[in-house]
Amino acid sequence: MEPPKIWRERREKYLALGILCQECKRKSFPITLYCPHCSSENISELKLAQTGKILHFTRVTQTAEELMLYAPYIIGLVELDDGIKVTGQITDTKLEDLTEGMKVRMVFRILSKNGEEGLIGYGFKFVLI
Amino acid sequence: MSKREVYIIGYGITKFGEHYELNPSSSASQALSKAIQDAKISKDLIQSLYFGSMVSNRNNQSYIGGKACRECNLNIPITKVDVGNASGAGAFHQAFIAIKSGLLECIAILGTEKLSDFVNSSTLEKILGGTIDYQWEFEQGATLTSLYAWMSQAHMKEFNTTMEQLASVPVKNHKNGVNNPIAQFRREISLKRFLSAKRISPPIGRFDPATHCDGSAAVIIASKEFVENHSEIERKVKVVGSAQSSDKISLHHRETLSSLLATQITSKKAYEMAQISSKDISIAEVHDSYPIGEILAIEDLGFFQKGEGGKATVEGKTQLNSDISINTSGGLKARGDPFGATGIAQIIEIVQQMRREADKRQVDDIKYGLTQNVMGTGASVLVHILSNMEDDK
Amino acid sequence: MSKLGIVSYGSYIPKYRISIEEIAKVWDDDPNEIISQLQVFSKSVPGPDEDVATMSVEAARNTISRWKGNPQDVGAIYVGSESHPYAVKPTATIVAAAIDAEKELTAADLEFACKAGTAGMQMCFGLVKSEMIKFGLAIGSDDSQAKPRDPLEYTAGAGSAAFLIGKERVVAELEGTYSITTDTPDFWRREGAVFPSHGNRFTGQPAYFQHTVDASKGLMEKLGTKPSDYNHVTFHQPNTKFPLTVAKMLGFTTDQIDISLICKNIGNAYSASSMLGLAHILNNSNPGDRIFMTSYGSGAGSDAFSFSITDEIEELKSYPLTVEHYLNNKEQINYGKYSRYKGILR
Ligand SMILES: [Zn+2]
């Protein structure tokens, strides 16, 4: 990944941020300039819940070069305790050990690495509680 | 809406597969020149080219339509349409609108892709990452295959769809593909083979996804007035419906994963335009890039009740000359999937069927035929309806 | 006057473990001999998606969550490690962003073999005491590399520990700190080299033992304390034998050092080693307890600390992600997986 992108996205990728609309009071993810529900600009940053449950999960064997070091890995659709749904890896586990509905907790991990010399992309993943 | 009628007056298509020896522009010009020949009109009558290609810019020639036009000795406006891996149908839709508007009379539409140059599959996975939410799905680790796995799981859970029902989709499509001379894979694959293959992204098995390949497809479309003024045009197929709609690009923003909302909305618009219902469709080419894709399609297009798609498929209700013939061409699965070319290839299959050129895969008594082309996981869907009915004059 | 000391603490140990037996099998070594020499049974191994930055962030987040304070109040972050993911580009800035402490703070990466983390603690004590900052976060974190077949391979583990230093709601008051530094080349890694080199038996007597003993004695002399004044003690743990021996040399009992000996299960966590021992002790301590710590870093130096536990400790002990949690949350892997996770297989 290129420096401006890593820099721009660091807070939302590291901290898992969404927005809370001050107009319609609805939460959404990711950060946008306008509330995706009511188009209001009157929004504030929201820290997403750090725990949730797995709705769907499967294995990824083939992906972009910068993620292949970690493959095969598990990708999950997680519903956080605040109701927000996010896509993220379930790390430190195996497909056989997972079932739908399992509780997970957000952790900070490497998402991608640009070869031996490029920047390291960090972000959130999940581990089983 | 404009009453101006639109006809497909010619088509050209290359063999789909791995054509290492062929330049991207040679593949494109082959389809284009075949289409012009098939239309029997002078190429000077073609006013514009709309082309759809998702990956051409990665082969260092984003304006591949320009090279194809030079090779076919055409000097016309050229426009690239990008709807990801549904760019073929996207280009068709835009050309249809151009004729409907009354501004143009005769347009060439080209869908082309040259994917065999990407020998490292990671490169294509990354390109396909652009059809899903790149930042919050792909960079998080999701791929197109893994997201289709979730959709399969959702359907299996909600409607008790079985692995056997899912696998019966590619079994049928490979059977149809045997009789399609341009298909990449012209051989049958047994249900057992699909079911016993390694699950790459459970429940998706190794042989389930359609193969990404090379291929080009082109059609010439014209207004009714143009057709009437050019007696050299021998065969024509009427386009009675053309629609597109979108859904949220990320699965984590959708209410349900067991339906494609965009397919439901788009088909409703297309049926309304054609003034028909799903019952009137006898043949359809749908986006079966993964088995669940076809099951979602035949339900969301209204051919079968929600949740009945898997059962209908396993019971043979979608095979050649049954209740409704789905993917007589072999679908993306057996024909191969050169993204931008697929949408046009789907339309060409319906044209061939209506012109009774489909040989051993010919379906009888076709009234209306439909195509459904999907971008990514359904962020954008295009539906086209062609008619075989005699014009009421 | 308000107390100066540790306000909160957090730790992180990766999930994977490789046993001494599994490594010995590869090199046809006798595992029993090695286990009896080192008194280490397994070592921790980070997953392929972990490095010093991710482990530092986990320990830092556990520190902040346990504390329940505002990360914006953190005025300094120091990450001590000999395995920072970047040679140039700080780990500390990644930690700052990941705990939402940007941007009014000072930060730096430190390197002093296995004592860079405790050096960071001293810097934070200084900054807080001089009132230049309100709170400082010192982290020791390592994902140490060992050349296959090198004796180090049996113990080079991974982990991370963090301490928040401040003057409000102090759980462990600093009674004093004292350091020893000499130019002793017992262990080194040249710029650009993948694996460290070491002086074998030279790393013992003139290096580890001399510095640890001198710093410990020096601090006790300064404070007028003796080993029996302390409830718990933690030393740097390159293996389990060294801290046990040094404890004996100084006059500490096995009971005093026992809790700190995490090395048995996770090996040598380098910069995090003595600090993980301290975090584990804090979570098992009671108000009024006195705690002694001496780190050791090759090259060489030792930082000694004396702490007194306050009533505030009870508040923090219930936080679930403890050293104990991470010690128990484990999965054994074989040498093949180990090679892949450590990047030895490419
Ligand atoms: Zn709103």
Side-chain angles (χ1 to χ4, degrees):
Chain A
M1 273 199 284
E2 297 305 318
K5 184 169 154 64
I6 291 217
W7 171 79
R8 178 173 68 242
E9 295 174 351
R10 73 196 185 286
R11 278 179 58 79
E12 36 185 348
K13 287 230 157 142
Y14 294 5
L15 296 164
L17 302 174
I19 56 167
L20 174 66
C21 176
Q22 299 300 321
E23 236 28 83
C24 73
K25 304 291 171 203
R26 274 180 285 193
K27 298 168 186 170
S28 61
F29 166 85
I31 294 179
T32 47
L33 290 181
Y34 311 103
C35 168
H37 302 292
C38 75
S39 302
S40 168
E41 284 180 65
N42 186 9
I43 49 161
S44 63
E45 202 177 87
L46 172 79
K47 190 144 196 281
L48 302 188
Q50 298 294 294
T51 52
K53 63 171 190 211
I54 303 174
L55 298 183
H56 289 286
F57 65 93
T58 191
R59 173 174 49 210
V60 171
T61 46
Q62 185 66 54
T63 181
E65 201 68 53
E66 57 269 31
L67 279 85
M68 279 307 286
L69 189 61
Y70 317 103
Y73 56 77
I74 314 293
I75 187 78
L77 179 60
V78 172
E79 184 177 329
L80 300 172
D81 292 342
D82 55 15
I84 298 271
K85 283 187 257 179
V86 297
T87 299
Q89 291 177 40
I90 323 289
T91 189
D92 279 359
T93 190
K94 295 189 286 291
L95 203 60
E96 309 86 85
D97 297 338
L98 294 176
T99 50
E100 197 189 304
M102 275 181 148
K103 295 282 287 173
V104 290
R105 176 169 63 80
M106 236 179 235
V107 290
F108 186 78
R109 295 290 172 113
I110 302 170
L111 283 172
S112 62
K113 240 184 228 179
N114 271 10
E116 292 290 307
E117 298 189 355
L119 285 169
I120 303 167
Y122 295 100
F124 65 83
K125 293 188 184 178
F126 296 92
V127 293
L128 292 177
I129 293 179
Chain B
M1 198 184 43
S2 156
K3 291 265 184 286
R4 204 170 147 92
E5 285 169 349
V6 181
Y7 290 89
I8 298 168
I9 59 171
Y11 70 83
I13 191 162
T14 67
K15 178 146 175 61
F16 282 14
E18 289 164 337
H19 302 304
Y20 296 111
E21 73 291 350
L22 210 58
N23 273 328
S25 62
S26 306
S27 167
S29 60
Q30 212 174 58
L32 188 54
S33 86
K34 277 185 187 178
I36 298 166
Q37 280 168 30
D38 183 63
K40 304 269 192 292
I41 56 164
S42 156
K43 65 178 170 47
D44 301 329
L45 295 169
I46 298 168
Q47 295 167 296
S48 194
L49 173 77
Y50 285 72
F51 79 99
S53 180
M54 171 171 153
V55 182
S56 62
N57 59 331
R58 305 276 180 142
N59 304 54
N60 303 318
Q61 182 63 69
S62 64
Y63 203 51
I64 192 78
K67 292 201 91 171
C69 279
R70 188 207 149 258
E71 290 180 29
C72 292
N73 195 15
L74 288 168
N75 187 15
I76 52 175
I78 302 159
T79 307
K80 179 180 176 177
V81 178
D82 190 346
V83 192
N85 47 342
S87 291
F92 192 97
H93 183 56
Q94 293 306 314
F96 176 85
I97 291 169
I99 302 262
K100 276 274 184 192
S101 77
L103 220 54
L104 297 176
E105 301 293 336
C106 180
I107 303 176
I109 308 161
L110 169 70
T112 182
E113 220 74 76
K114 177 82 185 141
L115 304 178
S116 65
D117 282 358
F118 302 98
V119 292
N120 180 351
S121 34
S122 288
T123 316
L124 268 186
E125 285 294 346
K126 191 166 177 168
I127 293 168
L128 282 168
T131 69
I132 58 177
D133 183 336
Y134 192 84
Q135 187 186 5
W136 291 111
E137 289 182 329
F138 189 73
E139 288 183 346
Q140 289 288 88
T143 56
L144 199 55
T145 302
S146 59
L147 298 183
Y148 269 94
W150 294 355
M151 295 198 279
S152 310
Q153 290 167 6
H155 204 274
M156 291 172 92
K157 191 185 171 190
E158 202 171 331
F159 305 112
N160 297 315
T161 302
T162 65
M163 295 292 281
E164 193 193 343
Q165 289 169 356
L166 284 164
S168 61
V169 169
V171 167
K172 169 192 63 89
N173 290 347
H174 270 274
K175 200 172 168 185
N176 289 345
V178 170
N179 295 315
N180 186 355
I182 65 112
Q184 183 179 17
F185 301 106
R186 299 188 61 187
R187 57 171 183 270
E188 292 194 41
I189 298 183
S190 70
L191 185 73
K192 188 166 166 257
R193 186 115 192 267
F194 278 112
L195 289 174
S196 60
K198 180 187 155 72
R199 297 297 106 186
I200 48 170
S201 288
I204 291 175
R206 185 171 294 289
F207 301 129
D208 290 347
T211 315
H212 310 139
C213 67
D214 305 335
S216 297
V219 289
I220 312 293
I221 65 169
S223 68
K224 189 176 181 180
E225 294 72 24
F226 183 93
V227 173
E228 282 168 356
N229 292 335
H230 293 89
S231 54
E232 66 271 32
I233 298 168
E234 292 171 2
R235 288 156 303 188
K236 60 185 197 304
V237 170
K238 195 158 125 187
V239 185
V240 292
S242 176
Q244 178 180 11
S245 55
S246 65
D247 192 0
K248 296 183 177 75
I249 190 165
S250 355
L251 294 193
H252 53 248
H253 286 147
R254 296 199 196 156
E255 299 286 326
T256 176
L257 301 191
S258 56
S259 299
L260 287 193
L261 186 66
T263 302
Q264 295 174 353
I265 297 169
T266 314
S267 58
K268 191 164 172 282
K269 288 202 280 193
Y271 292 141
E272 272 171 25
M273 187 187 283
Q275 295 178 317
I276 61 165
S277 83
S278 59
K279 306 271 174 297
D280 299 313
I281 305 290
S282 1
I283 171 174
E285 288 286 305
V286 304
H287 206 96
D288 63 326
S289 52
Y290 297 90
I292 190 65
E294 179 165 320
I295 291 180
L296 291 174
I298 61 178
E299 294 172 357
D300 296 331
L301 291 165
F303 302 150
F304 297 96
Q305 288 222 313
K306 196 69 217 169
E308 298 291 314
K311 199 163 153 266
T313 307
V314 92
E315 285 170 358
K317 290 181 181 168
T318 58
Q319 68 192 22
L320 202 66
N321 276 316
S322 57
D323 294 16
I324 180 164
S325 303
I326 303 287
N327 282 333
T328 54
S329 65
L332 279 64
K333 181 67 184 81
R335 186 177 50 217
D337 183 16
F339 313 138
T342 286
I344 304 294
Q346 290 178 318
I347 289 168
I348 290 175
E349 174 67 15
I350 305 290
V351 171
Q352 287 180 324
Q353 289 281 357
M354 290 187 169
R355 282 167 40 168
R356 299 200 62 80
E357 296 168 357
D359 198 15
K360 282 183 184 158
R361 54 182 209 290
Q362 185 63 51
V363 174
D364 302 319
D365 304 324
I366 305 170
K367 287 181 186 143
Y368 293 95
L370 176 150
T371 66
Q372 178 236 22
N373 203 189
V374 177
M375 190 203 83
T377 52
S380 200
V381 171
L382 290 117
V383 168
H384 284 96
I385 299 174
L386 311 188
S387 166
N388 205 22
M389 307 297 281
E390 284 303 312
D391 279 348
D392 25 310
K393 289 190 176 153
Chain C
M1 209 188 96
S2 58
K3 291 170 179 170
L4 168 70
I6 295 168
V7 169
S8 183
Y9 53 96
S11 54
Y12 180 78
I13 300 164
K15 184 181 177 185
Y16 300 104
R17 305 278 185 277
I18 185 165
S19 68
I20 299 303
E21 275 162 311
E22 178 68 19
I23 301 171
K25 224 174 1 185
V26 173
W27 307 113
D28 289 331
D29 274 344
D30 177 3
N32 295 325
E33 192 190 333
I34 295 157
I35 290 167
S36 80
Q37 267 171 20
L38 304 171
Q39 294 175 44
V40 173
F41 303 94
S42 61
K43 67 168 190 171
S44 56
V45 183
D49 58 355
E50 296 187 279
D51 62 14
V52 160
T54 66
M55 294 192 295
S56 299
V57 167
E58 289 298 311
R61 282 182 176 172
N62 284 335
T63 307
I64 302 294
S65 303
R66 176 178 264 129
W67 172 50
K68 297 194 186 90
N70 183 356
Q72 292 288 318
D73 291 340
V74 175
I77 295 178
Y78 296 110
V79 182
S81 178
E82 57 116 88
S83 47
H84 289 288
Y86 290 95
V88 178
K89 203 226 154 286
T91 305
T93 56
I94 299 169
V95 175
I99 63 168
D100 202 9
E102 280 183 351
K103 62 179 182 182
E104 212 180 297
L105 78 164
T106 180
D109 285 4
L110 308 175
E111 191 281 307
F112 194 146
C114 301
K115 80 153 199 104
T118 57
M121 287 174 75
Q122 288 181 327
M123 290 163 73
C124 288
F125 283 127
L127 289 169
V128 171
K129 194 173 181 185
S130 65
E131 293 182 342
M132 285 175 70
I133 60 169
K134 215 166 146 191
F135 296 99
L137 186 65
I139 302 169
S141 179
D142 257 308
D143 166 15
S144 36
Q145 298 298 324
K147 195 181 279 180
R149 203 174 197 168
D150 189 299
L152 279 182
E153 192 183 21
Y154 287 107
T155 52
S160 151
F163 293 92
L164 187 69
I165 310 300
K167 285 182 173 179
E168 292 169 19
R169 290 191 285 139
V170 166
V171 299
E173 186 183 0
L174 180 73
E175 297 180 318
T177 177
Y178 176 82
S179 296
I180 289 287
T181 305
T182 71
D183 187 12
T184 305
D186 59 330
F187 177 101
W188 65 94
R189 178 165 66 83
R190 288 270 299 278
E191 180 66 52
V194 177
F195 299 114
S197 308
H198 55 87
N200 285 309
R201 286 180 61 78
F202 181 70
T203 59
Q205 184 39 47
Y208 178 87
F209 292 106
Q210 195 65 52
H211 291 79
T212 308
V213 167
D214 288 354
S216 304
K217 279 188 174 163
L219 181 59
M220 283 189 274
E221 214 163 275
K222 196 173 132 188
L223 297 174
T225 57
K226 51 187 187 305
S228 59
D229 293 336
Y230 294 94
N231 299 72
H232 303 288
V233 63
T234 176
F235 297 109
H236 174 51
Q237 305 170 30
N239 49 55
T240 311
K241 206 177 169 186
F242 274 30
L244 278 171
T245 307
V246 89
K248 210 169 180 182
M249 287 164 77
L250 287 162
F252 286 98
T253 65
T254 314
D255 279 354
Q256 283 168 295
I257 196 172
D258 195 47
I259 291 179
S260 77
L261 298 175
I262 47 152
C263 182
K264 289 181 276 193
N265 302 311
I266 68 160
N268 180 0
Y270 284 54
S271 297
S273 181
S274 56
M275 291 169 80
L276 275 170
L278 179 62
H280 196 33
I281 287 171
L282 288 180
N283 222 58
N284 286 281
S285 64
N286 296 304
D289 283 359
R290 290 179 87 181
I291 291 160
F292 198 82
M293 164 164 86
T294 305
S295 65
Y296 171 72
S298 289
S302 277
D303 301 325
F305 300 83
S306 175
F307 296 106
S308 154
I309 304 297
T310 74
D311 294 344
E312 302 280 351
I313 193 75
E314 301 297 350
E315 249 327 85
L316 303 194
K317 276 157 72 175
S318 61
Y319 183 75
L321 300 175
T322 58
V323 170
E324 186 152 5
H325 163 83
Y326 288 114
L327 286 174
N328 294 330
N329 181 40
K330 61 184 178 198
E331 181 183 332
Q332 296 290 335
I333 55 171
N334 60 25
Y335 196 86
K337 270 276 163 65
Y338 164 78
S339 313
R340 184 181 145 204
Y341 289 179
K342 290 295 266 187
I344 299 166
L345 275 184
R346 275 157 196 273

